[in-house]
Amino acid sequence: MVDGPVAVIYLDRPGRRNAYTPRMAQELTDALVELDQRPEVRAIVVTGRGEHFSVGADLDQIDWRETRSHGVESLSDPDRAPWKLATPIIAAINGDAIGVALTWAMQWDIRVVAEDARLAFSFNRIGVIPDRNSTWLLPRLIGFSAAMDLLLTGRTISGTEGHRLGVASRCLPPDQVLSDALEIAHDLAERCAPVSVSATKALMYEFLEENDRIRAYNFERRTLNWVRTLGETLRGIAAFKSRKAPEWGTTKDQRIPAELR
Protein backbone atom coordinates (compact mmCIF):
# COMPACT_ATOMS: atom_id res chain seq x y z
CA MET A 1 0.00 0.00 0.00
CA VAL A 2 1.35 3.43 -0.97
CA ASP A 3 0.00 6.63 0.59
CA GLY A 4 1.72 9.56 -1.09
CA PRO A 5 5.41 9.38 -0.17
CA VAL A 6 4.94 6.55 2.36
CA ALA A 7 4.59 2.84 1.58
CA VAL A 8 3.32 0.21 4.01
CA ILE A 9 4.22 -3.48 3.79
CA TYR A 10 2.22 -6.02 5.79
CA LEU A 11 3.54 -9.38 6.93
CA ASP A 12 0.36 -11.07 5.85
CA ARG A 13 -0.12 -14.59 7.22
CA PRO A 14 -2.43 -13.76 10.14
CA GLY A 15 -3.80 -17.30 10.27
CA ARG A 16 -0.25 -18.43 11.14
CA ARG A 17 0.48 -15.36 13.29
CA ASN A 18 2.57 -14.04 10.38
CA ALA A 19 5.08 -16.85 10.86
CA TYR A 20 8.14 -16.72 8.64
CA THR A 21 8.84 -18.88 5.58
CA PRO A 22 11.71 -18.56 3.07
CA ARG A 23 9.14 -17.45 0.48
CA MET A 24 8.03 -14.63 2.77
CA ALA A 25 11.66 -13.56 3.15
CA GLN A 26 12.10 -13.42 -0.63
CA GLU A 27 8.86 -11.50 -1.12
CA LEU A 28 9.71 -9.00 1.61
CA THR A 29 13.17 -8.36 0.14
CA ASP A 30 11.69 -7.94 -3.34
CA ALA A 31 9.08 -5.50 -2.04
CA LEU A 32 11.62 -3.38 -0.16
CA VAL A 33 13.93 -3.20 -3.18
CA GLU A 34 11.08 -2.40 -5.57
CA LEU A 35 9.75 0.39 -3.34
CA ASP A 36 13.25 1.78 -2.87
CA GLN A 37 13.51 2.15 -6.65
CA ARG A 38 10.43 4.37 -6.76
CA PRO A 39 11.58 8.00 -6.46
CA GLU A 40 8.23 9.09 -5.00
CA VAL A 41 8.46 6.67 -2.04
CA ARG A 42 10.38 8.45 0.72
CA ALA A 43 9.75 6.10 3.66
CA ILE A 44 8.64 2.49 4.14
CA VAL A 45 6.75 1.08 7.13
CA VAL A 46 6.67 -2.67 7.78
CA THR A 47 4.10 -4.11 10.18
CA GLY A 48 2.17 -7.29 10.87
CA ARG A 49 -1.39 -8.06 9.84
CA GLY A 50 -3.59 -8.72 12.87
CA GLU A 51 -2.39 -8.95 16.47
CA HIS A 52 1.17 -10.09 15.84
CA PHE A 53 4.18 -8.66 14.07
CA SER A 54 5.51 -12.17 13.45
CA VAL A 55 6.12 -15.10 15.78
CA GLY A 56 9.22 -16.15 13.84
CA ALA A 57 9.83 -19.26 11.78
CA ASP A 58 6.87 -21.42 10.88
CA LEU A 59 8.13 -24.53 12.67
CA ASP A 60 5.54 -26.75 11.02
CA GLN A 61 6.33 -25.76 7.43
CA ILE A 62 10.14 -25.56 7.24
CA ASP A 63 12.48 -28.47 6.65
CA TRP A 64 15.47 -27.47 8.77
CA ARG A 65 17.81 -29.97 7.15
CA GLU A 66 17.04 -28.91 3.58
CA THR A 67 19.52 -26.23 2.53
CA ARG A 68 18.31 -25.16 -0.92
CA SER A 69 15.25 -23.19 0.20
CA HIS A 70 17.33 -21.34 2.77
CA GLY A 71 19.65 -20.06 0.05
CA VAL A 72 17.42 -17.00 -0.31
CA GLU A 73 18.83 -15.87 3.03
CA SER A 74 22.40 -15.62 1.73
CA LEU A 75 23.49 -12.07 0.98
CA SER A 76 24.66 -12.82 -2.55
CA ASP A 77 23.70 -9.30 -3.70
CA PRO A 78 24.74 -6.85 -0.94
CA ASP A 79 23.08 -3.92 -2.72
CA ARG A 80 19.69 -5.46 -1.84
CA ALA A 81 20.45 -5.40 1.88
CA PRO A 82 18.16 -3.08 3.88
CA TRP A 83 21.04 -0.90 5.05
CA LYS A 84 22.10 -0.32 1.43
CA LEU A 85 18.70 1.02 0.38
CA ALA A 86 18.29 4.79 0.22
CA THR A 87 14.79 4.74 1.70
CA PRO A 88 14.36 4.74 5.50
CA ILE A 89 12.57 1.63 6.76
CA ILE A 90 10.47 1.81 9.92
CA ALA A 91 9.36 -1.29 11.81
CA ALA A 92 5.92 -0.95 13.40
CA ILE A 93 6.20 -3.89 15.82
CA ASN A 94 2.50 -4.09 16.65
CA GLY A 95 2.74 -7.38 18.57
CA ASP A 96 4.99 -10.34 19.25
CA ALA A 97 8.29 -10.38 17.34
CA ILE A 98 10.16 -13.63 17.86
CA GLY A 99 13.38 -14.97 16.37
CA VAL A 100 13.82 -14.12 12.72
CA ALA A 101 11.04 -11.54 12.92
CA LEU A 102 13.03 -9.56 15.46
CA THR A 103 16.33 -9.89 13.59
CA TRP A 104 14.50 -8.67 10.47
CA ALA A 105 13.36 -5.55 12.32
CA MET A 106 16.84 -4.92 13.76
CA GLN A 107 18.16 -4.54 10.19
CA TRP A 108 15.84 -1.61 9.57
CA ASP A 109 16.31 1.99 10.63
CA ILE A 110 13.68 2.93 13.23
CA ARG A 111 11.62 0.64 15.46
CA VAL A 112 8.33 1.42 17.21
CA VAL A 113 7.20 -1.36 19.53
CA ALA A 114 4.02 -2.24 21.41
CA GLU A 115 4.44 -2.13 25.18
CA ASP A 116 3.03 -5.63 25.64
CA ALA A 117 4.75 -7.23 22.65
CA ARG A 118 6.85 -10.29 23.43
CA LEU A 119 10.33 -9.97 21.96
CA ALA A 120 12.87 -12.79 21.83
CA PHE A 121 16.03 -13.72 19.98
CA SER A 122 14.97 -17.29 20.68
CA PHE A 123 17.38 -19.12 18.36
CA ASN A 124 19.45 -21.03 20.91
CA ARG A 125 16.25 -22.38 22.42
CA ILE A 126 15.48 -24.32 19.24
CA GLY A 127 19.04 -25.33 18.37
CA VAL A 128 20.08 -22.72 15.79
CA ILE A 129 22.21 -19.60 16.10
CA PRO A 130 21.03 -15.97 15.79
CA ASP A 131 20.71 -14.91 12.16
CA ARG A 132 20.62 -11.86 9.88
CA ASN A 133 23.95 -10.49 11.02
CA SER A 134 22.62 -10.07 14.58
CA THR A 135 25.81 -11.29 16.26
CA TRP A 136 27.59 -8.42 14.46
CA LEU A 137 24.85 -5.78 14.61
CA LEU A 138 23.13 -6.11 17.98
CA PRO A 139 26.23 -5.37 20.13
CA ARG A 140 26.74 -2.20 18.09
CA LEU A 141 23.13 -1.11 18.58
CA ILE A 142 22.51 -1.89 22.25
CA GLY A 143 25.95 -2.68 23.70
CA PHE A 144 27.88 -5.91 24.11
CA SER A 145 26.58 -6.91 27.55
CA ALA A 146 22.89 -6.50 26.73
CA ALA A 147 23.33 -8.18 23.35
CA MET A 148 25.15 -11.13 24.91
CA ASP A 149 22.33 -11.56 27.42
CA LEU A 150 19.55 -11.51 24.81
CA LEU A 151 21.32 -13.59 22.16
CA LEU A 152 22.76 -16.26 24.45
CA THR A 153 19.71 -16.85 26.63
CA GLY A 154 17.01 -16.33 24.00
CA ARG A 155 14.82 -15.07 26.84
CA THR A 156 11.56 -13.28 26.18
CA ILE A 157 11.28 -9.63 27.10
CA SER A 158 8.43 -7.14 26.84
CA GLY A 159 8.33 -4.26 24.42
CA THR A 160 8.83 -1.99 27.42
CA GLU A 161 12.09 -3.72 28.37
CA GLY A 162 13.16 -3.80 24.74
CA HIS A 163 12.71 -0.05 24.59
CA ARG A 164 14.73 0.40 27.79
CA LEU A 165 17.57 -1.71 26.35
CA GLY A 166 17.57 0.19 23.06
CA VAL A 167 16.02 -2.49 20.85
CA ALA A 168 13.35 0.07 19.85
CA SER A 169 13.33 3.85 19.87
CA ARG A 170 9.65 4.24 20.82
CA CYS A 171 7.27 2.16 22.94
CA LEU A 172 3.50 2.67 22.84
CA PRO A 173 0.17 0.93 23.46
CA PRO A 174 -0.38 -1.61 20.65
CA ASP A 175 -3.21 0.31 19.00
CA GLN A 176 -0.93 3.34 18.57
CA VAL A 177 2.12 1.63 17.07
CA LEU A 178 1.20 1.73 13.39
CA SER A 179 -0.23 5.25 13.52
CA ASP A 180 2.92 6.50 15.25
CA ALA A 181 5.17 4.77 12.72
CA LEU A 182 3.15 6.31 9.89
CA GLU A 183 3.41 9.72 11.52
CA ILE A 184 7.20 9.36 11.69
CA ALA A 185 7.28 8.21 8.07
CA HIS A 186 5.14 11.07 6.75
CA ASP A 187 7.00 13.67 8.78
CA LEU A 188 10.33 12.37 7.49
CA ALA A 189 9.08 12.09 3.90
CA GLU A 190 7.47 15.51 3.81
CA ARG A 191 9.84 17.62 5.92
CA CYS A 192 13.31 16.13 5.36
CA ALA A 193 15.47 16.51 2.25
CA PRO A 194 15.75 13.38 0.06
CA VAL A 195 19.51 13.41 -0.53
CA SER A 196 20.27 14.51 3.03
CA VAL A 197 18.25 11.58 4.40
CA SER A 198 19.78 8.96 2.10
CA ALA A 199 23.29 10.30 2.72
CA THR A 200 22.76 10.31 6.50
CA LYS A 201 21.55 6.70 6.41
CA ALA A 202 24.49 5.63 4.25
CA LEU A 203 27.06 7.30 6.51
CA MET A 204 25.50 5.93 9.68
CA TYR A 205 25.79 2.34 8.50
CA GLU A 206 29.20 2.76 6.92
CA PHE A 207 30.60 4.31 10.08
CA LEU A 208 29.48 1.30 12.14
CA GLU A 209 32.56 -0.32 10.59
CA GLU A 210 34.87 2.73 10.60
CA ASN A 211 37.58 2.85 13.25
CA ASP A 212 39.38 5.90 11.84
CA ARG A 213 37.60 8.87 13.41
CA ILE A 214 39.51 11.44 11.34
CA ARG A 215 38.66 9.64 8.11
CA ALA A 216 34.98 9.56 9.16
CA TYR A 217 35.06 13.26 10.07
CA ASN A 218 36.53 14.31 6.74
CA PHE A 219 34.31 12.02 4.66
CA GLU A 220 31.29 13.44 6.47
CA ARG A 221 32.53 16.98 5.76
CA ARG A 222 33.07 16.27 2.06
CA THR A 223 29.59 14.76 1.87
CA LEU A 224 28.10 17.80 3.60
CA ASN A 225 29.84 20.12 1.15
CA TRP A 226 28.51 18.05 -1.77
CA VAL A 227 24.93 18.11 -0.41
CA ARG A 228 25.15 21.92 -0.19
CA THR A 229 25.75 22.11 -3.95
CA LEU A 230 22.46 20.39 -4.77
CA GLY A 231 20.15 23.20 -3.68
CA GLU A 232 18.50 21.33 -0.80
CA THR A 233 20.08 23.61 1.78
CA LEU A 234 18.81 26.88 0.29
CA ARG A 235 15.34 25.43 -0.29
CA GLY A 236 15.23 24.04 3.24
CA ILE A 237 16.23 27.35 4.80
CA ALA A 238 13.71 29.25 2.68
CA ALA A 239 10.93 26.84 3.67
CA PHE A 240 11.90 27.11 7.33
CA LYS A 241 11.80 30.91 7.22
CA SER A 242 8.46 31.02 5.39
CA ARG A 243 6.97 28.24 7.53
CA LYS A 244 5.95 26.40 4.38
CA ALA A 245 6.44 22.79 3.34
CA PRO A 246 9.71 22.45 1.41
CA GLU A 247 9.90 21.55 -2.28
CA TRP A 248 13.29 19.92 -2.52
CA GLY A 249 13.91 19.41 -6.23
CA THR A 250 16.16 16.42 -5.53
CA THR A 251 15.64 12.66 -5.35
CA LYS A 252 16.89 10.00 -2.95
CA ASP A 253 18.73 8.17 -5.74
CA GLN A 254 21.37 10.89 -5.90
CA ARG A 255 24.02 8.88 -4.05
CA ILE A 256 27.27 10.10 -2.49
CA PRO A 257 29.82 10.35 -5.35
CA ALA A 258 32.60 7.78 -5.22
CA GLU A 259 35.27 10.48 -5.57
CA LEU A 260 34.37 11.89 -2.15
CA ARG A 261 35.73 8.79 -0.42
Side-chain angles (χ1 to χ4, degrees):
M1 181 182 77
V2 178
D3 178 13
V6 174
V8 182
I9 298 174
Y10 285 91
L11 306 179
D12 196 7
R13 300 183 72 220
R16 299 291 296 176
R17 298 182 296 171
N18 301 323
Y20 156 94
T21 66
R23 177 180 174 182
M24 178 190 282
Q26 187 65 62
E27 290 176 347
L28 177 58
T29 297
D30 290 345
L32 290 171
V33 170
E34 191 273 327
L35 289 169
D36 183 61
Q37 292 170 347
R38 297 194 200 180
E40 73 276 13
V41 173
R42 295 285 323 285
I44 302 169
V45 174
V46 183
T47 194
R49 185 80 69 186
E51 298 180 1
H52 304 278
F53 181 72
S54 169
V55 296
D58 194 326
L59 302 179
D60 296 328
Q61 296 190 17
I62 296 176
D63 182 349
W64 295 99
R65 294 175 295 181
E66 193 275 304
T67 58
R68 182 170 52 85
S69 64
H70 298 288
V72 298
E73 304 299 339
S74 298
L75 198 55
S76 56
D77 186 355
D79 288 339
R80 288 167 60 87
W83 59 90
K84 289 289 189 178
L85 304 183
T87 313
I89 305 169
I90 301 168
I93 304 174
N94 55 305
D96 295 351
I98 308 297
V100 63
L102 190 51
T103 56
W104 250 342
M106 298 308 299
Q107 291 186 327
W108 304 333
D109 307 311
I110 299 172
R111 285 162 292 281
V112 182
V113 67
E115 296 167 338
D116 61 355
R118 295 181 300 170
L119 310 178
F121 299 93
S122 53
F123 303 91
N124 283 322
R125 298 199 174 207
I126 62 166
V128 293
I129 67 169
D131 72 349
R132 276 177 178 72
N133 216 199
S134 53
T135 53
W136 181 91
L137 179 62
L138 197 63
R140 288 166 167 80
L141 295 182
I142 70 172
F144 189 85
S145 179
M148 188 69 86
D149 173 9
L150 296 181
L151 293 180
L152 277 184
T153 69
R155 68 185 180 91
T156 300
I157 61 174
S158 67
T160 301
E161 185 176 359
H163 176 249
R164 180 181 63 80
L165 291 172
V167 170
S169 57
R170 301 192 186 192
C171 182
L172 298 164
D175 61 351
Q176 297 178 25
V177 168
L178 180 57
S179 60
D180 189 75
L182 289 171
E183 184 177 339
I184 295 170
H186 278 283
D187 184 62
L188 189 158
E190 295 162 10
R191 304 297 302 186
C192 297
V195 179
S196 296
V197 167
S198 63
T200 299
K201 175 174 173 174
L203 291 178
M204 290 284 286
Y205 283 113
E206 180 163 341
F207 291 165
L208 280 176
E209 304 176 59
E210 180 59 69
N211 294 317
D212 186 338
R213 186 170 181 178
I214 302 303
R215 187 258 170 189
Y217 182 101
N218 287 325
F219 182 23
E220 179 186 78
R221 173 55 55 177
R222 290 191 296 272
T223 302
L224 171 59
N225 291 340
W226 166 70
V227 168
R228 286 172 172 165
T229 70
L230 303 177
E232 284 189 342
T233 307
L234 293 177
R235 294 185 187 98
I237 293 172
F240 178 78
K241 287 182 175 180
S242 65
R243 300 182 183 275
K244 295 180 180 179
E247 296 181 6
W248 297 111
T250 53
T251 60
K252 64 185 181 182
D253 61 351
Q254 293 175 258
R255 303 298 182 98
I256 301 171
E259 58 267 24
L260 296 185
R261 296 185 174 280

